[in-house]
Amino acid sequence: MTAAATAQLAFDGSGIDGSLFTTVTDFARDTKWLNTPMEVWTNLGLGVFAVLMVMGWWHARRRGTQAMTVALAAPVAVVIAFAAAEVVKKIVAEVRPCRSMPHAYLVDSCPAPSDYAFPSGHSTVAAATVAALFLLDRRLSAIAAVFAVVEGFSRVYVGAHYLHDVLGSAILALPVAYLTSLALRRWATPLVAALNRGALRPVLTAESPAVAQHAQ
Protein backbone atom coordinates (compact mmCIF):
# COMPACT_ATOMS: atom_id res chain seq x y z
CA MET A 1 0.00 0.00 0.00
CA THR A 2 1.39 3.41 -0.96
CA ALA A 3 1.89 6.26 1.51
CA ALA A 4 -0.91 8.22 -0.19
CA ALA A 5 -3.32 5.31 0.18
CA THR A 6 -2.38 4.91 3.82
CA ALA A 7 -3.10 8.58 4.46
CA GLN A 8 -6.50 8.30 2.74
CA LEU A 9 -7.52 5.36 4.93
CA ALA A 10 -6.52 7.14 8.13
CA PHE A 11 -9.05 8.87 10.37
CA ASP A 12 -9.35 12.64 9.89
CA GLY A 13 -9.60 14.31 13.29
CA SER A 14 -9.78 17.88 12.01
CA GLY A 15 -13.56 17.91 12.45
CA ILE A 16 -13.22 17.52 16.23
CA ASP A 17 -11.21 20.60 17.12
CA GLY A 18 -9.57 21.72 13.90
CA SER A 19 -10.61 25.34 14.51
CA LEU A 20 -8.87 25.32 17.89
CA PHE A 21 -5.81 23.81 16.25
CA THR A 22 -5.62 26.64 13.72
CA THR A 23 -6.14 29.20 16.50
CA VAL A 24 -3.02 27.88 18.21
CA THR A 25 -1.03 27.58 14.98
CA ASP A 26 -2.07 31.11 14.00
CA PHE A 27 -0.66 32.20 17.36
CA ALA A 28 2.55 30.36 16.42
CA ARG A 29 2.62 32.25 13.13
CA ASP A 30 2.27 35.54 15.01
CA THR A 31 5.01 34.65 17.51
CA LYS A 32 7.79 33.50 15.23
CA TRP A 33 10.35 34.52 17.85
CA LEU A 34 8.93 31.67 19.95
CA ASN A 35 8.97 29.04 17.17
CA THR A 36 12.52 27.81 17.68
CA PRO A 37 12.36 27.62 21.51
CA MET A 38 9.07 25.69 21.32
CA GLU A 39 10.40 23.34 18.64
CA VAL A 40 13.49 22.63 20.75
CA TRP A 41 11.44 22.17 23.92
CA THR A 42 8.84 19.86 22.39
CA ASN A 43 11.51 17.19 21.87
CA LEU A 44 14.35 17.91 24.27
CA GLY A 45 11.91 18.88 27.02
CA LEU A 46 11.17 15.20 27.57
CA GLY A 47 14.55 15.06 29.28
CA VAL A 48 13.04 17.09 32.13
CA PHE A 49 10.75 14.19 32.98
CA ALA A 50 13.72 11.82 33.06
CA VAL A 51 15.52 14.22 35.42
CA LEU A 52 12.47 14.34 37.71
CA MET A 53 12.40 10.55 37.88
CA VAL A 54 16.11 10.50 38.71
CA MET A 55 15.45 13.04 41.46
CA GLY A 56 12.68 10.79 42.76
CA TRP A 57 15.10 7.85 42.86
CA TRP A 58 17.74 9.92 44.66
CA HIS A 59 15.31 11.03 47.36
CA ALA A 60 13.92 7.50 47.69
CA ARG A 61 17.35 6.23 48.75
CA ARG A 62 16.66 7.80 52.14
CA ARG A 63 13.02 6.78 52.43
CA GLY A 64 13.04 3.01 52.58
CA THR A 65 12.41 0.00 50.37
CA GLN A 66 8.82 0.78 49.40
CA ALA A 67 9.69 4.29 48.24
CA MET A 68 12.63 2.90 46.26
CA THR A 69 10.32 0.36 44.64
CA VAL A 70 8.00 3.14 43.48
CA ALA A 71 10.98 5.14 42.21
CA LEU A 72 12.24 2.19 40.17
CA ALA A 73 8.69 1.52 38.96
CA ALA A 74 8.33 5.03 37.53
CA PRO A 75 10.23 4.51 34.25
CA VAL A 76 8.59 1.09 33.85
CA ALA A 77 5.16 2.71 34.22
CA VAL A 78 6.06 5.35 31.64
CA VAL A 79 7.22 2.72 29.14
CA ILE A 80 4.05 0.67 29.62
CA ALA A 81 1.86 3.76 29.15
CA PHE A 82 3.80 4.68 26.00
CA ALA A 83 3.40 1.16 24.64
CA ALA A 84 -0.34 1.30 25.29
CA ALA A 85 -0.51 4.64 23.47
CA GLU A 86 1.28 3.15 20.47
CA VAL A 87 -1.27 0.35 20.28
CA VAL A 88 -4.14 2.86 20.41
CA LYS A 89 -2.38 4.98 17.81
CA LYS A 90 -2.33 2.07 15.35
CA ILE A 91 -5.97 1.21 16.04
CA VAL A 92 -7.33 4.75 15.66
CA ALA A 93 -5.00 5.65 12.77
CA GLU A 94 -5.69 9.37 12.90
CA VAL A 95 -3.89 11.26 10.16
CA ARG A 96 -1.59 14.05 11.31
CA PRO A 97 -2.89 17.65 11.21
CA CYS A 98 -0.17 18.55 8.71
CA ARG A 99 -1.90 16.24 6.22
CA SER A 100 -5.55 16.93 7.01
CA MET A 101 -4.97 20.69 7.40
CA PRO A 102 -1.95 21.38 5.15
CA HIS A 103 -2.67 25.11 4.90
CA ALA A 104 -2.21 25.68 8.63
CA TYR A 105 1.00 27.31 9.84
CA LEU A 106 3.34 24.50 10.90
CA VAL A 107 6.56 24.86 12.86
CA ASP A 108 7.40 21.16 12.91
CA SER A 109 8.05 19.08 9.80
CA CYS A 110 5.37 16.62 8.71
CA PRO A 111 6.17 13.01 9.67
CA ALA A 112 5.53 9.93 7.53
CA PRO A 113 1.86 9.09 6.79
CA SER A 114 2.12 5.95 8.93
CA ASP A 115 3.09 8.06 11.98
CA TYR A 116 -0.40 8.70 13.34
CA ALA A 117 -1.55 11.50 15.62
CA PHE A 118 -3.82 10.07 18.33
CA PRO A 119 -2.69 9.90 21.05
CA SER A 120 0.42 12.05 21.32
CA GLY A 121 3.46 10.01 22.32
CA HIS A 122 5.26 13.01 23.80
CA SER A 123 2.25 13.96 25.91
CA THR A 124 1.86 10.33 26.97
CA VAL A 125 5.38 10.31 28.40
CA ALA A 126 4.72 13.60 30.19
CA ALA A 127 1.39 12.55 31.71
CA ALA A 128 2.68 9.10 32.65
CA THR A 129 5.55 10.69 34.55
CA VAL A 130 3.08 12.81 36.52
CA ALA A 131 1.12 9.71 37.54
CA ALA A 132 4.20 7.57 38.23
CA LEU A 133 5.66 10.21 40.55
CA PHE A 134 2.37 10.81 42.37
CA LEU A 135 2.86 7.77 44.61
CA LEU A 136 6.46 8.72 45.28
CA ASP A 137 6.69 12.48 45.73
CA ARG A 138 3.69 14.80 45.35
CA ARG A 139 5.95 17.83 44.91
CA LEU A 140 7.86 16.26 42.03
CA SER A 141 4.56 15.11 40.55
CA ALA A 142 3.21 18.68 40.68
CA ILE A 143 6.35 19.99 38.99
CA ALA A 144 5.99 17.32 36.33
CA ALA A 145 2.35 18.36 35.83
CA VAL A 146 3.38 21.93 35.05
CA PHE A 147 5.93 20.76 32.50
CA ALA A 148 3.39 18.29 31.09
CA VAL A 149 0.99 21.15 30.34
CA VAL A 150 3.78 23.03 28.57
CA GLU A 151 4.70 19.88 26.65
CA GLY A 152 1.10 19.32 25.59
CA PHE A 153 0.71 22.91 24.43
CA SER A 154 3.98 22.72 22.50
CA ARG A 155 2.70 19.70 20.55
CA VAL A 156 -0.23 21.74 19.28
CA TYR A 157 1.86 24.90 18.87
CA VAL A 158 4.34 23.25 16.50
CA GLY A 159 1.48 21.69 14.54
CA ALA A 160 2.20 18.06 15.42
CA HIS A 161 -1.09 17.29 17.19
CA TYR A 162 -4.65 18.41 17.81
CA LEU A 163 -5.69 19.29 21.34
CA HIS A 164 -7.76 16.09 21.58
CA ASP A 165 -4.58 14.10 20.84
CA VAL A 166 -2.97 15.67 23.91
CA LEU A 167 -6.03 15.24 26.13
CA GLY A 168 -6.42 11.65 24.96
CA SER A 169 -2.83 10.99 25.96
CA ALA A 170 -3.52 12.19 29.49
CA ILE A 171 -6.75 10.17 29.77
CA LEU A 172 -4.83 7.05 28.75
CA ALA A 173 -1.48 7.60 30.46
CA LEU A 174 -2.57 8.78 33.89
CA PRO A 175 -4.49 5.65 34.95
CA VAL A 176 -2.16 3.22 33.17
CA ALA A 177 0.98 4.66 34.78
CA TYR A 178 -0.65 5.07 38.20
CA LEU A 179 -2.02 1.52 38.31
CA THR A 180 1.28 0.12 37.05
CA SER A 181 3.18 1.93 39.80
CA LEU A 182 0.61 0.81 42.36
CA ALA A 183 0.90 -2.82 41.27
CA LEU A 184 4.69 -2.77 41.23
CA ARG A 185 4.78 -1.17 44.68
CA ARG A 186 2.78 -4.11 45.95
CA TRP A 187 4.44 -6.96 44.08
CA ALA A 188 8.03 -5.79 43.57
CA THR A 189 8.85 -4.47 47.05
CA PRO A 190 10.09 -7.90 48.27
CA LEU A 191 12.37 -8.12 45.23
CA VAL A 192 13.82 -4.66 45.88
CA ALA A 193 14.29 -5.58 49.56
CA ALA A 194 16.26 -8.68 48.49
CA LEU A 195 18.38 -6.67 46.06
CA ASN A 196 19.02 -4.17 48.83
CA ARG A 197 20.95 -6.85 50.70
CA GLY A 198 23.32 -7.45 47.81
CA ALA A 199 25.73 -5.62 45.55
CA LEU A 200 23.09 -3.11 44.44
CA ARG A 201 22.65 -1.75 47.95
CA PRO A 202 24.57 1.53 47.26
CA VAL A 203 22.13 2.23 44.41
CA LEU A 204 19.04 1.42 46.46
CA THR A 205 19.78 3.12 49.76
CA ALA A 206 21.83 5.97 51.19
CA GLU A 207 22.39 4.10 54.46
CA SER A 208 25.63 2.24 55.05
CA PRO A 209 25.32 -1.43 56.14
CA ALA A 210 26.64 -0.50 59.60
CA VAL A 211 23.97 2.16 60.07
CA ALA A 212 21.23 -0.18 58.90
CA GLN A 213 22.44 -2.95 61.22
CA HIS A 214 22.54 -0.55 64.18
CA ALA A 215 19.01 0.62 63.37
CA GLN A 216 17.82 -2.96 63.54
Side-chain angles (χ1 to χ4, degrees):
M1 184 177 293
T2 65
T6 301
Q8 289 176 356
L9 290 175
F11 169 68
D12 184 353
S14 60
I16 299 175
D17 52 8
S19 60
L20 183 57
F21 172 79
T22 54
T23 297
V24 176
T25 57
D26 286 349
F27 173 70
R29 180 193 58 207
D30 297 336
T31 55
K32 289 184 177 169
W33 57 271
L34 190 56
N35 287 185
T36 298
M38 289 295 277
E39 188 172 21
V40 170
W41 164 263
T42 200
N43 292 309
L44 298 185
L46 292 180
V48 171
F49 301 102
V51 170
L52 289 173
M53 284 188 280
V54 170
M55 290 175 63
W57 159 77
W58 184 257
H59 294 158
R61 293 172 68 243
R62 292 174 171 82
R63 294 177 51 197
T65 302
Q66 189 175 78
M68 177 53 65
T69 303
V70 178
L72 296 177
V76 178
V78 172
V79 169
I80 290 177
F82 183 81
E86 288 299 299
V87 172
V88 173
K89 186 173 288 191
K90 296 299 182 183
I91 294 173
V92 177
E94 179 190 71
V95 67
R96 290 274 184 166
C98 58
R99 299 189 183 280
S100 57
M101 304 187 72
H103 300 298
Y105 179 82
L106 303 172
V107 177
D108 208 5
S109 57
C110 196
S114 58
D115 187 354
Y116 299 120
F118 181 90
S120 164
H122 289 67
S123 298
T124 295
V125 170
T129 303
V130 174
L133 290 175
F134 186 78
L135 288 173
L136 178 64
D137 188 318
R138 301 289 173 85
R139 183 175 59 178
L140 288 178
S141 179
I143 295 172
V146 173
F147 283 117
V149 171
V150 177
E151 179 65 30
F153 176 75
S154 75
R155 300 309 290 157
V156 183
Y157 181 95
V158 301
H161 289 282
Y162 299 107
L163 178 60
H164 68 262
D165 298 334
V166 174
L167 295 178
S169 301
I171 292 172
L172 171 68
L174 288 173
V176 170
Y178 179 81
L179 292 175
T180 299
S181 294
L182 198 63
L184 289 174
R185 183 179 71 175
R186 179 178 180 182
W187 299 111
T189 296
L191 173 60
V192 175
L195 293 174
N196 197 24
R197 293 190 290 269
L200 291 177
R201 182 177 179 81
V203 177
L204 301 176
T205 183
E207 291 183 346
S208 66
V211 172
Q213 186 175 4
H214 178 74
Q216 292 175 357

